[in-house]
Amino acid sequence: MAMIWGQGELFPEANDSEVQRTKFLLDKYKDMLILMADYEAYEKELAMVAVDGEVARRIDQDDLHADKTANAVILIEKQRRVYEQYKFYTRSIFRAYGLIRDPEAKRAIERRFIDGYSYSETMQFFQRSAYSESTVKRKIAEGTAKIANTLKLWGFFEKDVFDF
């Protein structure tokens, strides 16, 4: 069963804001993975800090007599929601990255975002392969657009929640 979008598009193209959102998420991809690994490794310690520490007391600065236990539960739940949101983002991005068919665009996206190298490190890597800076920029843009188009096809941007 094929899904059809508003104007009869079988394969919709991401608009500029969706491409920018994809680029933002790609820029944060490696950071999200690191934070997820940290959360998984230290989830119990984070919960203890929330309960025992002063963090829970400071959720609302205006509340002079805050219920520390209730605030700790709220803080723990917020951390878990952020973790789940990051998991949704990283899995979706990695799956969409896997569908890039152009090997040069895929390699450029991998080097820049999946492996987490800086822009200048990515350029240096590809210059050794005799690619010009403009070619690498174009391949990164093509890969980003492909990922954004795939995410749009999956309905990612409708599920994407900006407020945590």
Side-chain angles (χ1 to χ4, degrees), residues 13 20 32 64 73 88 91 94 96 116 122 128 140-141 147:
E13 299 239 348
Q20 288 303 313
M32 287 189 284
L64 299 177
V73 170
F88 170 69
R91 285 183 177 173
F94 192 76
T122 303
R128 284 185 274 150
I140 290 173
I147 290 172

Side-chain angles (χ1 to χ4, degrees), residues 30-41 46 82-83 86:
K30 197 68 172 177
D31 293 331
M32 287 189 284
L33 288 178
I34 291 168
L35 288 170
M36 286 170 43
D38 182 74
Y39 178 82
E40 290 166 358
L46 287 169
V82 169
Y83 169 78
Y86 283 2

Side-chain angles (χ1 to χ4, degrees), residues 25-94:
L25 291 172
L26 282 168
D27 281 333
K28 299 297 181 189
Y29 180 82
K30 197 68 172 177
D31 293 331
M32 287 189 284
L33 288 178
I34 291 168
L35 288 170
M36 286 170 43
D38 182 74
Y39 178 82
E40 290 166 358
Y42 300 106
E43 182 177 3
K44 289 180 182 170
E45 286 87 347
L46 287 169
M48 291 305 297
V49 168
V51 172
D52 294 340
E54 290 297 311
V55 177
R57 192 181 306 269
R58 289 182 263 132
I59 283 182
D60 186 2
Q61 297 293 338
D62 297 334
D63 194 357
L64 299 177
H65 303 286
D67 183 352
K68 188 173 176 183
T69 304
N71 286 348
V73 170
I74 292 168
L75 183 62
I76 292 166
E77 179 60 25
K78 181 179 178 184
Q79 290 170 344
R80 189 191 62 73
R81 279 193 326 229
V82 169
Y83 169 78
E84 291 298 326
Q85 196 71 27
Y86 283 2
K87 195 158 76 168
F88 170 69
Y89 289 156
T90 55
R91 285 183 177 173
S92 298
I93 288 169
F94 192 76

